[in-house]
Amino acid sequence: FSVDYRINSLGLRENEINSKKEKSKKRLLIIGDSVTEGHGVNYEETYVYILKKKLEQENWEVINAGTQGAGLA
């Protein structure tokens, strides 16, 4: 099977992130391992992307900071 991986300039599997947050939005940073990053699935199938789509309607910006082979420690 084939999975499309796009990595941003910060090394995250996420769209480019504007360092200045829009004042009207809240930000949620999701930190985790390969499950959070979405290893083996397309970006649109990750739980972070699904959460992002649900919270966009409530003015949240959700950022996927999951990294393969890493955890919180």
Side-chain angles (χ1 to χ4, degrees):
F1 64 96
S2 175
V3 175
D4 182 31
Y5 272 83
R6 284 180 245 143
I7 306 297
N8 70 15
S9 61
L10 297 172
L12 302 175
R13 188 175 183 196
E14 181 61 79
N15 297 321
E16 288 299 325
I17 301 164
N18 190 341
S19 61
K20 293 196 177 208
K21 179 184 76 63
E22 291 180 38
K23 288 185 179 191
S24 63
K25 289 192 173 190
K26 299 166 266 190
R27 270 190 176 166
L28 176 62
L29 179 68
I30 308 290
I31 301 170
D33 57 9
S34 58
V35 173
T36 300
E37 183 191 63
H39 180 73
V41 299
N42 289 311
Y43 179 68
E44 295 78 15
E45 298 171 304
T46 65
Y47 80 83
V48 177
Y49 180 83
I50 294 166
L51 179 63
K52 175 187 294 203
K53 286 299 168 190
K54 290 183 184 248
L55 291 180
E56 275 179 353
Q57 301 164 9
E58 298 179 32
N59 228 20
W60 280 88
E61 178 183 8
V62 178
I63 300 170
N64 186 343
T67 306
Q68 290 184 46
L72 294 176

